[in-house]
Amino acid sequence: STLPRFAPFGDAPTLPLMISRGCSYGRCTFCAEASRSGVKLDESFDWVRDVAAHWPGAPLYFQDSIFPGGDRVRSELLPILRELGRPWGAQVYLPLLTERRVHELADAGCTYLYTGVETAAESLLLAVGKRGFAPRGVLEKLRWVNARGMQMGVSIMLGVMNTRGELAESAATIAKTAGMVEGLQAEFGRDLSIYP
């Protein structure tokens, strides 16, 4: 069987993995993977080493809703990833991404982080349940990631609707988001991919 190719890893065959189920961080109305009771982590991460051995050199991409943090990931999984010595990436929840966390991930070999930015309009973030998410903090956090030499991917939503199914997007909110995207592209260039 063949592995999928994923551009952030130079279009190399990439091993997709999942170590957790569900996202307990956000309350995004568009998400089908929310877990109010918490993220369910695998009992052991040893299998990551075993599966990776079957695909020597293949980059790893963790397709978890959100790559989990916590003591077990820090003390058990990150050392395995460091030991494997190959590039890997994951999706993170930007409001919880700290500079220390960026350094931990990079030190364990992470070369790609993906996150949902969605919009530059705070009113739309509230409409889709992204409370506590401030567009003004996006740039600082992406700079931390970029400073560690990681590639970045961000998703942007257009045509946002509220929970009643009504269009909440306007020409003004689209212009605000477009301005943010242009600013991000100007600063990060090819180090940042935008996924509408």
Side-chain angles (χ1 to χ4, degrees):
S1 130
T2 61
L3 295 176
R5 296 183 183 274
F6 194 33
F9 302 109
D11 209 27
T14 303
L15 183 58
L17 303 171
M18 288 186 76
I19 56 163
S20 65
R21 305 294 181 270
C23 170
S24 62
Y25 301 117
R27 300 292 184 260
C28 305
T29 60
F30 56 87
C31 182
E33 300 170 357
S35 174
R36 304 298 193 257
S37 60
V39 169
K40 312 267 187 299
L41 266 177
D42 285 351
E43 292 293 319
S44 166
F45 302 121
D46 290 333
W47 67 269
V48 172
R49 187 185 288 111
D50 298 337
V51 170
H54 289 284
W55 302 96
L60 312 175
Y61 184 66
F62 292 93
Q63 298 187 119
D64 303 77
S65 301
I66 299 295
F67 191 74
D71 292 337
R72 281 196 57 227
V73 168
R74 187 175 292 111
S75 66
E76 298 173 32
L77 179 62
L78 294 185
I80 291 171
L81 296 173
R82 192 175 301 110
E83 172 193 316
L84 289 172
R86 63 178 82 178
W88 64 274
Q91 180 172 327
V92 294
Y93 184 55
L94 202 58
L96 295 182
L97 191 64
T98 64
E99 192 168 12
R100 176 180 175 217
R101 179 79 168 145
V102 169
H103 287 287
E104 289 172 352
L105 297 175
D107 290 345
C110 184
T111 60
Y112 176 74
L113 289 178
Y114 175 83
T115 192
V117 172
E118 319 320 353
T119 178
E122 291 193 46
S123 62
L124 295 185
L125 289 170
L126 292 174
V128 297
K130 282 206 156 190
R131 287 161 175 50
F133 189 93
R136 63 189 170 277
V138 168
L139 188 57
E140 177 185 29
K141 292 177 184 236
L142 292 180
R143 282 178 176 154
W144 298 338
V145 174
N146 187 253
R148 287 305 308 259
M150 290 188 248
Q151 295 289 310
M152 302 168 286
V154 298
S155 65
I156 302 295
M157 297 176 77
L158 300 172
V160 174
M161 297 189 324
N162 63 25
T163 55
R164 295 181 304 280
E166 302 161 339
L167 184 65
E169 192 83 70
S170 68
T173 59
I174 289 174
K176 193 170 192 175
T177 299
M180 178 185 69
V181 168
E182 288 170 1
L184 293 175
Q185 287 178 320
E187 177 151 354
F188 300 114
R190 292 178 167 243
D191 290 336
L192 177 73
S193 298
I194 307 288
Y195 300 96

